[in-house]
Amino acid sequence: MSDENRTGTHRRTLLKASTATAAASAVFVGSGSYAAAQPRDNASEVAHHATTKPRGRGDFRSQEAHANTGRTKPQPRRPQRGRNGSGDIGVTILPIDLATFRAGSLFDLRVEVRGVNPINARVELDIAGPDLAPAAVLSSSPERSAGASDEMIIEYRNLTYPSPGEYTVKVRVTHRGQTLEESVVHTVHGAGAGGAKNVIFFLGDGMGQAPITAARILSKGISEGKYHGLLHMDQMEYRGFVGTSGADALATDSANSMSAYMCGHKSSVNAMGVYESSEEDPNAHPRVETMAELLKRTRGMSVGVVTTSEIQDATPAAVWAHTRRRSEYLEIMDQALNETQAPDVIMGGGMASLLPQSQEGSRREDDRDLRIEFEDLGYAYASTRSELADVIATGPDKVLATFHPGNLNVYLDREHSVDEKVLGEWTDQPNLKEMTEAALEVLQRNENGFFLMVEGASIDKMSHPMDGPRAIYDTIEFDQALGVAKEWAQGRDDTLIIVTADHNHSMSIVGTHDANDGGERDANGVYGNASFPTYADTNGDGFPDDPQPEVSLFYGWSNHPDHTDDFQHNGRFKQPALLDEDGVAVPNPERDPDSPLQQGNLPLNQTNCVHTVDDVPLFASGPGSARFNSFLDNTEVFHLMIDALGIDATDT
């Protein structure tokens, strides 16, 4: 893991170790030096997403869907009490208990001790390996600091567990006559059986079973209970389910759920590639090695990232980045420039984070032009569908392509019902199929193999505001991109393809909506009144000609804010709710204003639907795919992919 962008202020001083170069145990007395600081609580960083005040709407303002995902109250910690029963001492060991590693993979070890005087507290650290003998793990010099007036911090960077087995990390704290012991157990896996040279990982953001069912109905058709065809997802060799909860909360966010797939470790809401600590700098929390870092370091594989979101967004960024706060877009792009982290192919939106501040639409506050910085590193750059085709024709080894300052427009607005007022000047955006084809053309040249992540981002981004048709058209686009990968891999026996989601959403398919039955709730048909929908695909492109035929799907939403709804497609996208001057979500007066109020059930500051805790579907084909045919924790998906590749992280 690169240290180039770490901005912590810790001091490096080795106090005591069992050998000169490696240690299984260490003793620390105090933090070396101490600058006065105030105690702080352990409330999480919240996502720094702005709210936007619409023009001409009085005191109403819109809010990004992930603006209120962070904790607003202190996280409860397991109570700890000194053995003599007088006073409280707290200890946190990171990585957490029951974390799972690859032998040879890199990680940071951090111990936080609270409720002590950091000048004179004594901390003993010991690591016992598989044979209950001291393990030579503490091979770097520790960083010691006092994060607050009652806190002592010890951190080791870039450690590894040398061999498979169980390791116990034990901390013993002595302070003013009190003694406290705390320990965690870490499980370490060795190299898997192998069999795959390449892995293609498809991530439908927020894609639970409901969008898949709806996409099959809209794309393939159904009559008398029989589907007229199947999606590419439906025809994968194996399928299972994934549990998505994170380290800090039952309900997950895209950042920490994708991080589990890309690191094999749990993290906290809004975090990726790190364990949440007391560190105030969002980019200095203890790291674990990402998929990009591990594969590039151990085998020299190429890495590709393709998305319909901004390339700095949570899902794509988690392939390579380390940050506690997913909104650190500029830091995430800086990390993408590091050789040890940098994907070889990056395609999507997010141009605003690359442009110098002098250019319209830039979010930077400096004059750096990251397009030029990437070109200096050997990347070919494209900003339109036409430019991408020209660039791929030159046979580049690396490609950076950004097609929009923000997220790409959704498929329905971008390619189906093209609206120039919605697209603005960004009328030449490629679709996910084209980006997937281009990425494969570049990545396949590496004889060491490749890892490609393809995200259908707006399945989530349209599910949040309860825009069912736009979410489902993007699900169909996602499935067609999967078809590109399956066709590329056909006849090969060296490519594992995975399809899953980072979390579920509140969408369900309740029945159908028949416009002939009067409109609004009266037109919603359930049970025997749920007649079959009348979507038609006359041009055979896999997308319905009309997102609102006479009989369409009736979308239900298990959680939502107060909003009005006529249960029909909105020709122009509109948010369901806005914040009033008191920060309370109220129905958007411009979306179905004369329709009945749907009483919300979410906290009053939520303007969109939120993620749900339901398990998500998992599909797999290719070498190693049989092991995905079960229920898996999201961290296990990472380890099964590494097993399929036969990566031995100790052999570098």
Side-chain angles (χ1 to χ4, degrees):
M1 296 178 290
S2 172
D3 284 310
E4 294 178 29
N5 287 313
R6 298 195 176 192
T7 56
T9 57
H10 302 302
R11 295 159 293 281
R12 294 184 174 270
T13 308
L14 180 63
L15 291 182
K16 179 178 178 181
S18 58
T19 67
T21 59
S25 60
V27 178
F28 304 84
V29 179
S31 58
S33 61
Y34 172 61
Q38 297 299 316
R40 56 173 179 259
D41 64 33
N42 56 1
S44 163
E45 306 264 5
V46 297
H48 286 195
H49 293 289
T51 57
T52 304
K53 187 173 182 178
R55 296 178 180 177
R57 294 184 186 172
D59 291 318
F60 293 151
R61 63 190 190 278
S62 63
Q63 178 176 248
E64 202 275 344
H66 300 96
N68 291 308
T69 55
R71 291 192 301 273
T72 58
K73 55 187 178 182
Q75 181 185 22
R77 294 185 184 271
R78 182 171 52 178
Q80 312 261 355
R81 186 169 294 276
R83 286 187 176 177
N84 66 0
S86 60
D88 289 332
I89 299 174
V91 175
T92 297
I93 303 173
L94 302 171
I96 60 177
D97 192 31
L98 305 181
T100 307
F101 302 74
R102 310 301 300 192
S105 65
L106 300 175
F107 68 95
D108 296 341
L109 176 64
R110 181 177 173 111
V111 176
E112 299 176 352
V113 182
R114 300 172 302 281
V116 299
N117 183 338
I119 298 295
N120 55 27
R122 176 185 174 93
V123 178
E124 301 170 57
L125 173 63
D126 179 77
I127 300 179
D131 299 321
L132 301 180
V137 175
L138 305 180
S139 55
S140 65
S141 298
E143 304 170 3
R144 297 178 299 136
S145 66
S149 61
D150 64 345
E151 184 178 38
M152 179 176 174
I153 298 169
I154 301 158
E155 187 158 16
Y156 289 85
R157 303 283 192 182
N158 292 330
L159 300 183
T160 67
Y161 286 126
S163 58
E166 274 196 356
Y167 292 75
T168 299
V169 181
K170 182 181 294 185
V171 173
R172 180 184 176 91
V173 179
T174 304
H175 181 251
R176 294 178 178 173
Q178 299 180 69
T179 299
L180 173 69
E181 290 187 357
E182 180 63 282
S183 63
V184 297
V185 176
H186 295 158
T187 300
V188 180
H189 295 303
K197 176 182 177 182
N198 315 304
V199 172
I200 308 176
F201 184 85
F202 280 84
L203 193 288
D205 203 308
M207 187 185 70
Q209 187 57 50
I212 297 172
T213 300
R216 191 186 310 114
I217 293 171
L218 269 65
S219 181
K220 305 303 178 183
I222 185 172
S223 59
E224 297 181 313
K226 294 280 190 176
Y227 288 102
H228 302 164
L230 296 176
L231 301 172
H232 292 290
M233 283 180 272
D234 297 325
Q235 301 173 72
M236 300 287 280
E237 294 179 75
Y238 296 96
R239 70 181 302 161
F241 292 93
V242 180
T244 63
S245 295
D248 65 330
L250 185 66
T252 196
D253 165 65
S254 293
N256 59 322
S257 53
M258 184 60 174
S259 183
Y261 289 141
M262 295 297 104
C263 299
H265 290 265
K266 297 286 188 180
S267 193
S268 300
V269 169
N270 294 326
M272 63 186 79
V274 299
Y275 276 100
E276 178 190 359
S277 68
S278 63
E279 180 63 55
E280 292 183 337
D281 181 349
N283 304 310
H285 291 252
R287 297 181 175 186
V288 290
E289 196 166 28
T290 64
M291 180 71 78
E293 291 169 321
L294 179 64
L295 299 187
K296 292 167 76 73
R297 177 175 67 86
T298 60
R299 190 173 287 179
M301 295 173 66
S302 292
V303 174
V305 172
V306 169
T307 181
T308 53
S309 73
E310 298 186 65
I311 58 177
Q312 309 86 10
D313 203 8
T315 298
V319 176
W320 75 84
H322 306 272
T323 182
R324 174 64 187 89
R325 191 163 60 210
R326 58 179 285 177
S327 57
E328 292 285 307
Y329 280 12
L330 303 186
E331 167 68 20
I332 286 167
M333 286 311 302
D334 278 349
Q335 292 185 30
L337 288 163
N338 291 337
E339 182 179 3
T340 59
Q341 296 175 256
D344 303 274
V345 173
I346 314 175
M347 298 183 192
M351 190 187 300
S353 295
L354 278 61
L355 301 175
Q357 63 180 343
S358 58
Q359 292 200 22
E360 184 179 357
S362 172
R363 66 163 54 96
R364 302 193 66 86
E365 297 180 353
D366 56 33
D367 296 321
R368 293 173 60 192
D369 189 331
L370 266 62
R371 298 170 299 178
I372 295 174
E373 293 186 30
F374 274 96
E375 287 176 338
D376 289 344
L377 294 175
Y379 288 78
Y381 180 73
S383 62
T384 66
R385 168 190 267 151
S386 303
E387 288 179 7
L388 179 63
D390 293 341
V391 161
I392 296 303
T394 66
D397 293 324
K398 298 180 179 181
V399 174
L400 170 67
T402 54
F403 308 104
H404 195 283
N407 302 310
L408 270 62
N409 291 97
V410 299
Y411 189 91
L412 194 55
D413 299 333
R414 177 183 1 112
E415 302 216 15
H416 191 273
S417 304
V418 178
D419 187 336
E420 292 186 359
K421 291 184 178 180
V422 173
L423 298 180
E425 63 183 283
W426 311 102
T427 58
D428 196 20
Q429 303 171 48
N431 60 44
L432 198 58
K433 286 176 58 179
E434 293 165 332
M435 290 191 287
T436 302
E437 289 171 344
L440 288 169
E441 181 68 25
V442 176
L443 297 171
Q444 67 182 352
R445 300 191 184 103
N446 189 337
E447 295 182 354
N448 296 323
F450 65 82
F451 175 87
L452 170 62
M453 192 287 295
V454 180
E455 181 197 20
S458 287
I459 304 169
D460 169 84
K461 297 184 187 301
M462 291 295 101
S463 293
H464 274 294
M466 299 176 288
D467 195 322
R470 285 183 170 83
I472 302 313
Y473 274 68
D474 269 54
T475 306
I476 297 171
E477 179 187 30
F478 174 77
D479 188 69
Q480 292 188 353
L482 171 62
V484 168
K486 291 179 70 174
E487 182 178 359
W488 179 88
Q490 189 172 5
R492 307 173 65 105
D493 60 359
D494 63 356
T495 301
L496 171 64
I497 302 178
I498 303 295
V499 184
T500 191
D502 47 354
H503 54 78
N504 215 317
H505 249 294
S506 68
M507 177 193 292
S508 62
I509 310 304
V510 183
T512 51
H513 180 89
D514 192 334
N516 297 311
D517 290 340
E520 297 183 343
R521 288 181 65 174
D522 290 339
N524 290 337
V526 298
Y527 295 116
N529 290 326
S531 56
F532 292 103
T534 56
Y535 298 102
D537 178 17
T538 57
N539 64 2
D541 66 352
F543 295 87
D545 303 334
D546 182 359
Q548 187 65 54
E550 283 192 353
V551 183
S552 59
L553 291 184
F554 166 26
Y555 299 94
W557 307 91
S558 66
N559 67 74
H560 53 81
D562 289 357
H563 68 288
T564 52
D565 195 351
D566 64 4
F567 302 98
Q568 296 190 40
H569 172 59
N570 295 305
R572 284 276 182 90
F573 171 78
K574 299 288 184 182
Q575 288 286 349
L578 304 171
L579 292 177
D580 67 11
E581 59 185 358
D582 297 319
V584 174
V586 296
N588 183 350
E590 295 187 5
R591 174 166 160 167
D592 305 336
D594 299 323
S595 297
L597 174 69
Q598 309 300 310
Q599 186 72 41
N601 56 6
L602 290 172
L604 294 177
N605 64 350
Q606 296 287 350
T607 60
N608 275 220
C609 288
V610 301
H611 304 167
T612 61
V613 183
D614 312 42
D615 301 334
V616 295
L618 172 69
F619 309 86
S621 290
S625 59
R627 297 183 66 193
F628 293 84
N629 192 33
S630 64
F631 173 82
L632 297 170
D633 181 74
N634 51 10
T635 59
E636 293 177 297
V637 175
F638 167 85
H639 290 286
L640 292 184
M641 288 190 287
I642 299 301
D643 283 348
L645 289 167
I647 296 292
D648 183 355
T650 66
D651 183 15
T652 54

